[in-house]
Amino acid sequence: MTTMSLFITLEGGEGCGKSAQARILSKRLAQLAIPFLLTQEPGGTALGARLRRWLKWTQNETFSPLSELLLFNAARAQLVTEVIQPGLDSGNIVICDRYTDSTIAYQGYGRGLESALVKTINDAATGGLKPDLTVLLDLPAEEGLARKKARRRDRFEHESIAFHRRVRQGYLKLASAEPERWLVIDATQSKDKIAQIIWHKVSQLLASRGKTEFKAAEA
Ligand code: TYD
């Protein structure tokens, strides 16, 4: 990994706005001509796109929590090998919309699989590759789901409010256990405000990696 590469993940429950923030951050990097890659989980590869459809839209069939854990990680293994690791190796900033913490929150806290098992499988899929920064867009479960109401709901959005509350609490526990990696943002704030908080942190990280000109970009 070169020193300039940076691995940033975005996390949060349904309707928290992370995909919009991933796009805003990408735009800013593009404007500054900083090389980056934007990808998402599940997805980002041909295999991942197929698994994404299965995982989100399979109907009238119940996946066991363990199958779900393995399928998300099958998509992830492919994404790390094909996109994320090569992207970092060639000096890009890699932004990933969801990563291993989603699995701990959803399959661990949400579905009730043991955290140690989830971590073992996640590690096998990623080869231990960890984000430098993980942004949590924190939102009460009811609010996130309400934002989704108008749209077509996928398998996860059909889960109970109790499920989504466990996911949120799971994320908050992960963040407080590893505060140096996480940036927790109150996602009830405006889109612009959230983008500003994220950029403040990212530009600091870039500056600390020797790109002093980003201090100016931050102002
Ligand atoms: P996606 O459309 O990416 O999420 P969102 O609608 O919040 O932007 O859908 C991915 C769904 O898959 C989402 O409900 C969370 C779930 N998920 C898991 O349960 N485990 C995982 O490891 C990942 C990556 C996602």
Side-chain angles (χ1 to χ4, degrees), residues 14 18 52 56 72 76 98 103 106-107 148 156:
E14 310 304 318
K18 64 191 164 38
R52 179 181 179 86
K56 285 184 64 135
F72 277 113
R76 175 169 301 136
R98 296 195 180 280
T103 322
Y106 281 79
Q107 280 64 51
K148 292 250 161 177
F156 291 95

Side-chain angles (χ1 to χ4, degrees), residues 11-19 40-43 52 55-57 68-69 72-73 76 97-107 111 122 148 151 154-157 163-164 167 171:
E11 296 284 356
E14 310 304 318
C16 69
K18 64 191 164 38
S19 310
Q40 66 170 168
E41 279 208 8
R52 179 181 179 86
L55 283 160
K56 285 184 64 135
W57 302 110
E68 218 176 72
L69 170 67
F72 277 113
N73 272 295
R76 175 169 301 136
D97 186 346
R98 296 195 180 280
Y99 188 59
T100 46
D101 298 300
S102 280
T103 322
I104 301 176
Y106 281 79
Q107 280 64 51
R111 300 280 191 228
N122 282 352
K148 292 250 161 177
R151 294 185 236 159
D154 67 26
R155 227 162 49 80
F156 291 95
E157 288 152 8
F163 174 89
H164 291 288
V167 169
Y171 272 131

Side-chain angles (χ1 to χ4, degrees), residues 185-201:
I185 301 176
D186 170 0
T188 62
Q189 299 175 96
S190 75
K191 207 192 253 186
D192 286 353
K193 177 71 190 165
I194 295 170
Q196 194 190 330
I197 297 169
I198 294 175
W199 182 245
H200 181 76
K201 181 69 186 183

Side-chain angles (χ1 to χ4, degrees), residues 28 83 93-94 99 112 160 178 182 186 200 205 218:
R28 230 185 250 245
V83 178
I93 295 179
V94 176
Y99 188 59
S160 66
E178 232 184 321
W182 289 79
D186 170 0
H200 181 76
L205 281 175
E218 185 192 335

Side-chain angles (χ1 to χ4, degrees), residues 125-188:
T126 61
L129 178 68
K130 280 192 125 195
D132 298 295
L133 169 68
T134 300
V135 177
L136 173 59
L137 297 182
D138 177 53
L139 196 64
E142 296 81 353
E143 243 181 270
L145 288 171
R147 290 181 182 183
K148 292 250 161 177
K149 234 174 208 158
R151 294 185 236 159
R152 202 155 67 103
R153 289 194 172 203
D154 67 26
R155 227 162 49 80
F156 291 95
E157 288 152 8
H158 274 114
E159 284 297 332
S160 66
I161 192 75
F163 174 89
H164 291 288
R165 285 194 185 126
R166 289 198 297 278
V167 169
R168 182 191 189 195
Q169 291 313 317
Y171 272 131
L172 290 171
K173 273 190 205 151
L174 287 170
S176 63
E178 232 184 321
E180 61 298 337
R181 173 164 69 92
W182 289 79
L183 172 66
V184 182
I185 301 176
D186 170 0
T188 62

Side-chain angles (χ1 to χ4, degrees), residues 65-87:
L66 183 59
S67 309
E68 218 176 72
L69 170 67
L70 294 168
L71 287 171
F72 277 113
N73 272 295
R76 175 169 301 136
Q78 193 66 26
L79 184 69
V80 169
T81 311
E82 213 178 292
V83 178
I84 299 178
Q85 193 64 66

